[in-house]
Every structure is written in structure tokens, then in C-alpha cells.
Amino acid sequence: MDSIVAQIHALAETSDEVGRLEIQKGLRDVQMEIQSPKDLLMSLANSQLLIATIRMGADLKLFRNIAAHKGSMTTVQLADITGSSPQLLGRLLRYLSSNGMIRETGLHEYQANTNTHILADDKGEAMVYHGFDTHGPIVSAMPDFFKQNNYRDIDSVTDTPFQKAHNTKLRPFDWFVQNPKHFETLQKVMTSLAGAEWTVGFDLLDMEAKKVPSTPPRPSEKPFFVDVGGGHGHQSIQLGKRYTNLLGRLVLQDLPAVINQLPPIEGVQTEAYDFFEKQSIIGAKFYYLRRIIHDWPDEECTKILRNVADAMDPTSRLLIDEVVLPDTGAHWQATMADISMMIGLGGKERTSEQWHSLAGSAGLRVEQIHLYTASTYTSIIVLALK
Ligand SMILES: C[S@@+](CC[C@H](N)C(=O)[O-])C[C@H]1O[C@@H](n2cnc3c(N)ncnc32)[C@H](O)[C@@H]1O
């Protein structure tokens, strides 16, 4: 058995992202084949309990404390640091270790494993809080919501499980503005997905960036890159690092509630802007929308895209950084994102056909699709004026 495990490890280490996911899928298939009905039902019953316990662990800074400590810690030590009772903590630790979130090294002794480290950093913690506090209630509201709507697809931004769960009539982002704790966590999750993989091997961007002089921009010069709804600006920051000649030519736009509390970002101009209003930056080389369009139903998306299209000139390009769902055989992470967008925001992940149709509705055409993370189908959809 050990040798099979070692072989799988070796295979995973030499595999790319797609290969790694294939191995995981294979392992899941094997698990499915050998599990009893009871195994499946017990594991389903466990899913909510596990995230709730992890959420408590985050509150207690349990993962951070264990991860920061070299070697094992005892339950009593951890109870001391966290202020919880050793009896309760002992039961939680035993449960977490039996679920692989920490490693049990002896009687009442625990150590960090890979999962502990993932849960101990800011990104992991933000994902847990967002998953449990913001998204969890929406998931719980989902069955009743769909029973009441007679199992219809969602194409509204104000009539989704989100409103039912959070007892509001507001659009989700209006609610987020009024609930800064939830909004901050969402932004942390977004920043944690901050990779700049999309810029690698993307010839169009590279070619245009190389044409830009290294001298500071002239006052009349149009911006090179406008990150619309760019959150805390992680993509503009990454782009400025990769192409220093673009500094001073990058613009970050987001809602006033986001922009007004940001510290200055060197080389990036920030602007409070609502993307349902007219775009004030005319003729930029690139407008960039990352994880924006999947947040909204088609009607709202057409408005957002039209506002960009109206500001574009024939040389401008709109870059949409999102999933292009395959027609069949989609990976569970992508289908999960699709359902999550629907119940949380009234949005969706889109297939190539849906992207073409949406672009057309806003006077745009799909010029190119640059797939950059094959495992999640994340792509840059390049749109030009029709
Ligand atoms: C899912 S986040 C994506 C953030 C960023 N683009 C990224 O990929 O990390 C959606 C972003 O859209 C912004 N947003 C929502 N409604 C907006 C609006 N009407 N105008 C401008 N930005 C908006 C939010 O504040 C948030 O930063």
C-alpha cells in the first residue's frame, strides 16, 4: 500500500495543474468505488460540521498557533493560549485531526500539517469566513428558495437565495457596502486569487506593453490599462511589477466604499466609479474586467459591457478574465463556481457560445480567447468593437 501511495506522490510532483487534478479525480473515483453507502452518507453529514469546526478554529487562532510552533503542542498549551477549556478543545482537536486538518502526534499532542498551514494564513482564513458567514447562509436558504420559485433559473439580482439568507432586498454589492466586515472578507478572498498567470504568454498584452515608452506619461496620454471593478488593485500592482514602463498608465476603478479606504498605490491612479454609469476614461488601450461579469445576470452584464464599449475606440480592447466553461465534462470547481454565482449574486459561469452572445448584445465581438489555466478554464476573452 505504501508503495502505491509513494507512486501517486511521485506522479503528482511531476504533473502540471491539469495532471494533478486528473490524479485527484482518479482518487475520488477509486474512493467512490470502494465506499459503502454508509461511508457516503456519513461523509455528507460531516461536510457542514467540518466547515463550522474549522470556522471555530479560525476564531480561536488555533491553526495560526499550531502552524507557528515548531514541533507538537499539547491540548493544555493550546487551551491556555486560546482561552478555551481543555475538555472542549481536546474534542475539537481530535475531530480536526481525524479529518486531516492537523496531525495528531501522541496523546493530547498535535502538530501542523499542510492543511493547517493553508488554514493558518490570511487567504485560508478569509476563505473560511467568507464560506461560512456570507456564503453558508445562502447555501442553507437555497432549497426553500427554489421550492418557492418552482425551480426556475435565476436571472434577477434582487431575487436570489442571497436576499432570503441575509434578509435584505438589496442587490448583493449594495448589501456588501453596508456590511463592511463581509465586504472586507470578500475582498481578501479576491486578493488571495491574485495570480498574474494571465499575463504569461499573452502575446497581445506583451506586444502592446513593449510599445509603451519608459518615460513618464504625457498629460494628454490615454491610460494603458483600466481595471474596472479591480477591488484592492492586486492586478494593477502585478502588471506594474511585470512592466515597470506601465507605471503611471494604470487606472484602478471600483465603488467609492472600496476606493476611498485604499492606501495610495504607486504608479496606479485610483478612481471611484460605478460600472453601471458612463465610463469616463475614453480610448484606453485595455479595459480589464476580472471576475466581474460572472457576478451578474445577462441584462446587467450587457449594461456593464455597453458602458465599456461606448468608451472604446477601434484600437481599444476589452479583456474579460473569467472562466469559459466547456460544453461537457466540466470540473467540479467550475460547476461549483457557477452554482455559487447564481445563488449568491444572480450570476453565472459562461460557455464560449454564451460569451459570444453576451458580447454581441453590447456591440462587441470576441476576437480571441487566451486560455491560461487549463484546469479551471480561466481565460482572457478579448473583445473588440463590432
Ligand atoms: C468579485 S469582485 C472582483 C474584484 C477583482 N476584479 C478581482 O478579480 O479580484 C467584484 C468587484 O466588483 C466591484 N463592484 C461591484 N459593483 C460595482 C459597481 N457597480 N461599480 C464598480 N465596481 C463594482 C466590487 O467592489 C468588487 O471589487
Side-chain angles (χ1 to χ4, degrees):
M1 190 61 84
D2 279 356
S3 86
I4 296 177
V5 173
Q7 280 176 33
I8 294 170
H9 268 295
L11 193 60
E13 266 164 29
T14 54
S15 296
D16 62 7
E17 178 76 356
V18 180
R20 239 179 16 78
L21 290 182
E22 275 297 306
I23 296 169
Q24 288 184 47
K25 185 175 178 305
L27 289 171
R28 254 206 328 276
D29 289 348
V30 171
Q31 190 186 0
M32 209 168 76
E33 278 155 28
I34 62 174
Q35 77 188 357
S36 69
K38 183 176 154 222
D39 292 335
L40 170 68
L41 297 173
M42 293 300 269
S43 117
L44 288 177
N46 189 39
S47 57
Q48 277 179 310
L49 186 61
L50 183 58
I51 176 91
T53 313
I54 291 174
R55 166 72 167 72
M56 283 174 71
D59 273 350
L60 292 170
K61 306 280 174 236
L62 200 54
F63 305 110
R64 284 182 187 264
N65 278 306
I66 299 176
H69 195 86
K70 281 205 174 71
S72 300
M73 294 185 84
T74 65
T75 306
V76 171
Q77 274 176 317
L78 284 163
D80 245 10
I81 297 173
T82 58
S84 46
S85 89
Q87 291 75 14
L88 172 67
L89 199 64
R91 295 169 75 178
L92 298 178
L93 288 165
R94 185 173 58 191
Y95 173 74
L96 287 168
S97 87
S98 69
N99 278 281
M101 299 301 136
I102 49 178
R103 178 177 299 128
E104 187 177 53
T105 50
L107 182 62
H108 308 309
E109 279 186 6
Y110 299 93
Q111 202 175 24
N113 64 14
T114 315
N115 287 346
T116 321
H117 287 286
I118 294 170
L119 295 170
D121 84 357
D122 284 349
K123 298 171 196 167
E125 212 172 79
M127 197 63 103
V128 169
Y129 281 116
H130 177 73
F132 190 82
D133 295 2
T134 310
H135 200 59
I138 302 171
V139 173
S140 299
M142 181 178 162
D144 276 352
F145 174 89
F146 282 103
K147 191 182 268 180
Q148 281 161 8
N149 97 342
N150 290 319
Y151 301 100
R152 296 287 167 272
D153 200 15
I154 294 179
D155 60 3
S156 156
V157 73
T158 49
D159 188 15
T160 74
F162 175 93
Q163 281 78 21
K164 192 174 176 63
H166 292 293
N167 195 20
T168 178
K169 290 190 164 47
L170 292 174
R171 297 184 306 177
F173 280 103
D174 298 333
W175 180 89
F176 275 120
V177 168
Q178 294 191 4
N179 291 273
K181 221 172 125 203
H182 289 265
F183 205 6
E184 186 60 27
T185 313
L186 173 72
Q187 293 292 1
K188 274 193 194 156
V189 169
M190 288 299 123
T191 308
S192 78
L193 306 168
E197 302 89 346
W198 69 276
T199 58
V200 180
F202 184 27
D203 295 342
L204 173 67
L205 175 80
D206 200 46
M207 190 177 73
E208 294 297 337
K210 281 182 180 152
K211 285 186 201 160
V212 176
S214 304
T215 46
R218 286 166 282 112
S220 61
E221 198 178 310
K222 291 169 180 168
F224 181 82
F225 181 83
V226 186
D227 188 359
V228 186
H232 287 186
H234 49 87
Q235 288 304 320
S236 303
I237 294 168
Q238 302 260 16
L239 208 57
K241 278 189 190 152
R242 186 171 170 91
Y243 299 103
T244 49
N245 57 331
L246 297 184
L247 291 171
R249 295 172 165 97
L250 307 169
V251 181
L252 166 67
Q253 297 178 326
D254 209 295
L255 292 169
V258 177
I259 293 294
N260 294 342
Q261 49 85 44
L262 279 183
I265 307 174
E266 208 192 327
V268 180
Q269 181 196 324
T270 54
E271 189 180 277
Y273 166 66
D274 179 341
F275 50 50
F276 289 108
E277 304 291 330
K278 195 171 152 55
Q279 172 61 258
S280 62
I281 299 179
I282 309 294
K285 181 66 222 169
F286 291 116
Y287 297 87
Y288 176 69
L289 290 169
R290 182 175 186 262
R291 296 175 186 273
I292 298 295
I293 297 302
H294 74 171
D295 293 348
W296 300 89
D298 288 348
E299 198 181 322
E300 279 75 8
C301 291
T302 302
K303 284 185 196 150
I304 298 169
L305 295 182
R306 273 233 167 91
N307 285 330
V308 182
D310 288 348
M312 288 167 68
D313 68 27
T315 67
S316 306
R317 293 294 178 268
L318 167 53
L319 308 179
I320 297 185
D321 188 343
E322 281 201 22
V323 163
V324 179
L325 270 183
D327 293 332
T328 58
H331 189 271
W332 71 266
Q333 289 185 17
T335 59
M336 178 199 71
D338 177 51
I339 302 293
S340 297
M341 292 306 129
M342 169 173 69
I343 63 175
L345 299 160
K348 61 171 76 142
E349 302 295 353
R350 292 176 168 85
T351 60
S352 172
E353 192 186 327
Q354 287 171 314
W355 280 117
H356 277 86
S357 148
L358 188 63
S361 75
L364 294 159
R365 68 187 159 85
V366 176
E367 192 179 63
Q368 189 198 129
I369 294 183
H370 163 66
L371 171 72
Y372 68 88
T373 307
S375 56
T376 48
Y377 325 111
T378 328
S379 309
I380 300 291
I381 304 142
V382 182
L383 303 185
L385 289 175
K386 258 187 190 167

